[in-house]
Amino acid sequence: MPFVDVGDGRLWYEEEGRGPAVFFLHTSLVDSRMWEPQMASFARRYRAIRVDARGWGRSEPPHGPRSPVDDLLGSLAALGLDRAALVGASMGGRTAIDVALASPSVVSALVLVGATVGGFDAWGDELPQMWEEQEAALALGDRGRAHQLELDYWIRPGLGDESARVIRELADENIHVWDIDEDLVRRLQGAIDRLDRIEVPTLVVIPENDCQPIKSCGDLIASRIPRARRITVPGDHHPNLRDPQAFDGAVLGFLNEVLT
């Protein structure tokens, strides 16, 4: 199986196609298999690459403090890439923003899908309440309860039974990420106050059925990154799985324009 050696561990990746590199970064709920519908369609014109974040999917778990930025930069270097367009969803979007700020020369474009950004705190009431319930469950050693709360929040009903089944199966296979110590994750600080420094073409993708805090975060990101474009697509927190055709049409249309 294909792995890249990054720091003190190995990260699983897959690539398909030739052309400008497009690097896919997954959410915290699942692994890089969430991008399965996109690999073939994007590979017709691009070198499509997906990677499991450290501890997710088939990548090795962290052995100590880790930096998602360093992991991504190390992956790009190991694959011989000087630049890539980053398509990041949720947690992956936050990492993409951090990389664009920490090492702008390696980023050719950004596509931020239901993305978060470091320093955003307008989470409302419902999401923090869910987090509190998860912490209480984990304190009792009930990882299954914490996981189920996550699934029930992010997977909106009525958007397609088959896609919901896929998301739940991928999430169930990554339940072990609850054992990762978040205190060991080293993230870029103050990203929310530095968004105006991002100069690469940026598309902010807002899933129309996502939770309001994620929509608000997307609106903020789009308003602060110079010349960023904002679009709405069908679906919830994983819109590429809910309506692949609509997602691919929007994102490929943007990349085909800016990666010339």
Side-chain angles (χ1 to χ4, degrees):
M1 296 181 69
F3 290 90
V4 288
D5 293 316
V6 178
D8 60 354
R10 299 193 306 163
L11 305 183
W12 183 92
Y13 78 97
E14 182 180 58
E15 66 173 284
E16 186 175 345
R18 299 177 65 182
V22 177
F23 209 94
F24 292 95
L25 307 171
H26 60 81
T27 71
S28 63
L29 190 62
V30 298
D31 57 45
S32 67
R33 286 174 291 177
M34 73 170 279
W35 300 113
E36 182 66 31
Q38 281 65 57
M39 291 300 288
S41 58
F42 280 70
R44 296 188 186 105
R45 185 161 183 171
Y46 300 106
R47 181 182 176 186
I49 303 166
R50 56 178 169 171
V51 64
D52 286 338
R54 192 179 296 269
W56 273 260
R58 292 140 291 190
S59 290
E60 292 184 358
H63 304 295
R66 67 181 182 91
S67 164
V69 170
D70 289 346
D71 282 348
L72 180 52
L73 293 176
S75 299
L76 293 173
L79 294 170
L81 294 171
D82 296 323
R83 301 186 81 203
L86 306 181
V87 180
S90 193
M91 173 187 76
R94 178 174 181 173
T95 299
I97 290 171
D98 289 351
V99 170
L101 290 170
S103 189
S105 64
V106 306
V107 181
S108 56
L110 287 175
V111 178
L112 307 172
V113 185
T116 59
V117 61
F120 180 78
D121 60 5
W123 297 113
D125 298 324
E126 188 179 64
L127 189 51
Q129 180 180 348
M130 188 267 285
W131 288 335
E132 289 180 7
E133 293 178 14
Q134 285 181 316
E135 289 175 3
L138 292 171
L140 296 173
D142 192 349
R143 185 174 65 174
R145 168 65 175 161
H147 181 64
Q148 189 61 50
L149 286 165
E150 194 90 354
L151 294 176
D152 291 344
Y153 187 83
W154 294 113
I155 303 175
R156 304 289 170 170
L159 297 179
D161 292 341
E162 177 59 23
S163 57
R165 181 191 64 79
V166 170
I167 298 167
R168 288 180 179 274
E169 286 185 355
L170 292 178
D172 288 346
E173 292 180 21
N174 282 278
I175 194 172
H176 58 275
V177 301
W178 287 101
D179 296 331
I180 297 176
D181 186 353
E182 276 295 308
D183 291 337
L184 296 178
V185 181
R186 296 175 174 172
R187 299 191 185 277
L188 191 70
Q189 299 301 308
I192 195 170
D193 297 319
R194 298 163 58 190
L195 291 171
D196 61 348
R197 301 182 187 180
I198 295 177
E199 298 181 350
V200 298
T202 299
L203 179 68
V204 178
V205 180
I206 309 291
E208 64 181 355
N209 298 110
D210 213 337
C211 67
Q212 186 56 50
I214 290 294
K215 292 181 180 180
S216 297
C217 188
D219 288 339
L220 181 146
I221 292 169
S223 70
R224 294 193 181 183
I225 295 179
R227 298 173 298 283
R229 305 182 195 178
R230 178 196 181 282
I231 63 166
T232 299
V233 296
D236 51 9
H237 206 52
H238 298 81
N240 66 301
L241 288 168
R242 296 305 209 166
D243 193 332
Q245 185 174 3
F247 180 87
D248 291 2
V251 176
L252 282 170
F254 170 74
L255 293 178
N256 291 346
E257 178 184 342
V258 302
L259 296 183
T260 56

